[in-house]
Amino acid sequence: MKIKICFLLCFVLFAIRSSAQQNDIMPQSEIYEWPKDDAVKKKLDTWQDKKFGMIIHWGLYAVPGIIESWSICSEDWISRDSTIKYEDYKKWYWGLNEKFNPTKFNPEQWAKAGKSAGMKYLVFTTKHHDGFAMFDTKQSDFSIAKGPFTTNARKDVAKYVFDAFRKENFMIGAYFSKPDWHSQYYWWDKYATADRNNNYDIRKNQWRWNMFKSYTQNQIGELMNNYGSIDILWLDGGWVRPRASVNKEVLSWGAPIPEWSQDIDMPKIAADARKAQPGLIVVDRTVHGQFENYQTPEQKIPEKQLDYPWESCMTLGGAWGFVPNDQYKSAGEVVHKLVEIVAKGGSLLLGIGPKADGTLPDDVITRLDEIGKWTSKNAAAIYGTRITKNYHDGENWFTQSKDGKTIYGISLIGNTPNKEISWEGSIPKKGSPITILTTNQKVKWTLKDGKVHFNLPKTDEKIALTFSFTPESN
């Protein structure tokens, strides 16, 4: 079986990455509807100050160290070992709940590692598409709290994850998958599971779909009412949506679309959730409109600056969850992505996956610490900033303070050997200096042919140099 799983991992990793590459060429949607609720607007503004978050994928898939959930879905782009019957594979996968016993579960370690990196908000996967709940749900026995971990005092995993991150002053987000492939109300075993969608005609089985809606609403209700203050409800599985909302953008994904509507009544879900959590940010991913309070391009950065709330969700390694021998991005690569994202008006949500025992891989902790060495010294140019009109020239990216009185420049010196920094577009106020943030050193600049120039000061910085100045208009 270990050999078979190894083959499976290779095939699925290839398929996921191929799919991600296809997604990368899709244009970023510019459809956005600002919320009308003042409490939501206020919380959204606070969230836009945070800029850098952690998304944690942790579930059954951590036990064998394979891609989250997708290996049990039967679509053409997913490959499995042909010697394993599909139904046998699903039984094996579901049976991992009898082996998932994370006796070293350490959310405090995760929160401290995130804080050391400079992260400010959390999105924790309470349930992925496979339906395995990482909280003590009363709606199903398929949860971390019902298997071998049930005797552990921390069996209600989500509670302790949220508590650990709150203690480190993180905003708290609950990831929740709208589809649930383990539920008989979604994947009914009367029929084959042909693809990611529910596998029966809802028009002919309205009772079953209504049961699924109640099941979904009740689980979200548990999360909103039983786990303390929640700031973000991050809903994944965008194919579960009203049929009328399927547009050209959705069709361009190439995913199968059923003839019926998979409407789970988002107005009720959002209203009930906000009764328990006033001002809650709701992120119904890819379903543009009043319940997508910010957009979430995945594994990519929009080509241009956007003037509404968004985040890029990206993995630190090659997978969302834990897989053995994953290759992690360097601290410099993560910082450079963070800088570009923030200058374009977004936030970076960086994905990590704890091991099956409940601890983070050592390499993840090391990499987060390395990232934090930069963010801690250059915080003013990132956190609490907003977009500025002239936000990019060459290796230079620009943000501004919320009051518009200060421009921050970030030069990706790891990408350029030049001893001089220069750019066109954002001009300092005449007679005012440029200040290096990490040393408070004042440097002189010149304006020649419409470009600002100053000599790169002596520095040990290898990733990105930050500086500030008063803009010409002030």
Side-chain angles (χ1 to χ4, degrees):
M1 181 59 80
K2 289 182 179 178
I3 294 176
K4 291 176 180 177
I5 297 304
C6 182
F7 277 119
L8 172 70
L9 174 60
C10 294
F11 285 132
V12 175
L13 276 172
F14 176 80
I16 292 289
R17 286 170 179 163
S18 297
S19 176
Q21 289 170 357
Q22 291 175 359
N23 288 340
D24 285 345
I25 65 174
M26 292 191 306
Q28 172 64 33
S29 173
E30 296 184 3
I31 302 171
Y32 181 77
E33 182 178 330
W34 284 93
K36 298 178 176 62
D37 185 329
D38 288 340
V40 177
K41 291 179 184 177
K42 182 177 180 181
K43 182 156 287 190
L44 200 54
D45 185 65
T46 299
W47 172 80
Q48 285 188 285
D49 288 341
K50 304 302 181 184
K51 305 301 184 188
F52 192 19
M54 175 189 286
I55 183 169
I56 299 174
H57 279 73
W58 193 46
L60 292 181
Y61 38 86
V63 177
I66 61 175
I67 288 294
E68 71 291 337
S69 297
W70 283 102
S71 66
I72 58 172
C73 182
S74 184
E75 292 183 12
D76 290 343
W77 58 274
I78 297 171
S79 297
R80 278 178 294 271
D81 188 334
S82 61
T83 65
I84 305 176
K85 293 180 179 179
Y86 178 45
E87 291 302 319
D88 290 341
Y89 181 80
K90 285 194 294 183
K91 290 177 183 177
W92 168 80
Y93 186 93
W94 302 136
L96 291 172
N97 69 321
E98 297 299 331
K99 298 180 180 179
F100 193 16
N101 190 21
T103 54
K104 296 182 180 180
F105 173 48
N106 192 350
E108 290 79 13
Q109 178 202 44
W110 310 352
K112 289 177 181 177
K115 184 178 182 179
S116 75
M119 294 166 163
K120 306 292 185 180
Y121 70 102
L122 165 77
V123 176
F124 176 66
T125 303
T126 64
K127 188 182 75 169
H128 205 259
H129 311 328
D130 60 17
F132 188 73
M134 297 301 290
F135 63 104
D136 192 6
T137 178
K138 302 300 185 290
Q139 307 304 310
S140 168
D141 288 336
F142 197 55
S143 80
I144 186 68
K146 302 299 194 301
F149 203 54
T150 191
T151 58
N152 194 290
R154 291 183 156 197
K155 68 177 183 178
D156 197 351
V157 161
K159 176 185 185 304
Y160 292 94
V161 172
F162 293 152
D163 284 349
F165 279 83
R166 282 193 198 99
K167 288 177 182 177
E168 300 295 350
N169 296 315
F170 278 62
M171 289 185 78
I172 302 299
Y175 170 117
F176 184 88
S177 170
K178 294 183 293 183
D180 186 320
W181 294 335
H182 189 264
S183 171
Q184 285 292 303
Y185 301 133
Y186 195 80
W187 272 4
W188 186 10
D189 61 13
K190 179 179 178 179
Y191 301 111
T193 51
D195 53 45
R196 70 187 68 188
N197 297 291
N198 77 295
N199 66 338
Y200 58 89
D201 189 331
I202 290 172
R203 296 167 299 184
K204 298 177 182 178
N205 297 277
Q206 194 62 49
W207 172 87
R208 186 166 293 272
W209 185 250
N210 286 338
M211 290 297 291
F212 181 69
K213 288 199 295 186
S214 295
Y215 166 77
T216 301
Q217 293 162 8
N218 289 341
Q219 282 198 323
I220 293 174
E222 289 175 327
L223 291 168
M224 295 298 103
N225 286 279
N226 302 339
Y227 291 85
S229 177
I230 304 291
D231 301 294
I232 304 165
L233 175 59
W234 208 89
L235 299 172
D236 201 7
W239 59 92
V240 176
R241 63 195 296 145
R243 186 67 175 79
S245 72
V246 175
N247 52 24
K248 289 183 180 179
E249 179 187 350
V250 177
L251 294 174
S252 73
W253 303 342
I257 306 294
E259 296 178 7
W260 50 84
S261 178
Q262 296 189 65
D263 188 341
I264 58 169
D265 197 351
M266 275 303 303
K268 176 175 172 52
I269 287 174
D272 289 350
R274 285 177 174 149
K275 285 179 183 177
Q277 304 287 342
L280 178 75
I281 298 170
V282 176
V283 183
D284 190 11
R285 299 188 67 205
T286 75
V287 187
H288 307 316
Q290 61 179 314
F291 306 118
E292 190 187 37
N293 296 152
Y294 65 76
Q295 291 189 354
T296 56
E298 184 170 336
Q299 300 286 32
K300 64 180 179 181
I301 303 173
E303 293 182 2
K304 61 183 182 179
Q305 191 180 72
L306 302 174
D307 62 358
Y308 53 79
W310 62 275
E311 73 183 2
S312 281
C313 48
M314 295 182 167
T315 50
L316 177 60
W320 289 107
F322 168 76
V323 297
N325 304 313
D326 204 354
Q327 300 299 306
Y328 300 107
K329 295 176 178 66
S330 68
E333 183 178 357
V334 173
V335 168
H336 286 188
K337 289 182 183 299
L338 174 65
V339 168
E340 179 181 351
I341 288 166
V342 171
K344 289 180 175 179
S347 299
L348 171 60
L349 185 62
L350 194 65
I352 61 99
K355 296 183 293 184
D357 68 1
T359 63
L360 291 181
D362 291 340
D363 288 347
V364 169
I365 295 174
T366 299
R367 198 55 42 85
L368 293 179
D369 185 63
E370 291 170 350
I371 294 166
K373 289 177 180 177
W374 188 90
T375 57
S376 63
K377 294 184 296 182
N378 300 279
I382 299 294
Y383 306 110
T385 60
R386 291 296 184 269
I387 58 174
T388 185
K389 181 180 178 181
N390 299 302
Y391 67 95
H392 180 220
D393 185 50
E395 297 295 342
N396 304 300
W397 297 89
F398 298 90
T399 63
Q400 69 174 335
S401 59
K402 291 177 79 170
D403 61 12
K405 294 181 178 180
T406 303
I407 296 291
Y408 297 101
I410 308 168
S411 182
L412 309 185
I413 59 176
N415 286 347
T416 175
N418 296 334
K419 293 184 178 180
E420 182 186 71
I421 293 176
S422 63
W423 69 87
E424 184 177 4
S426 284
I427 300 175
K429 185 176 182 179
K430 187 176 181 179
S432 66
I434 290 173
T435 302
I436 307 302
L437 289 188
T438 54
T439 62
N440 206 34
Q441 179 183 357
K442 312 293 183 183
V443 295
K444 294 181 179 180
W445 56 275
T446 59
L447 185 65
K448 182 178 181 181
D449 297 327
K451 296 190 73 171
V452 177
H453 302 260
F454 73 86
N455 292 327
L456 181 68
K458 185 177 180 180
T459 178
D460 294 328
E461 181 58 60
K462 303 296 183 184
I463 294 178
L465 182 75
T466 59
F467 49 92
S468 65
F469 56 86
T470 302
E472 185 179 41
S473 59
N474 282 0

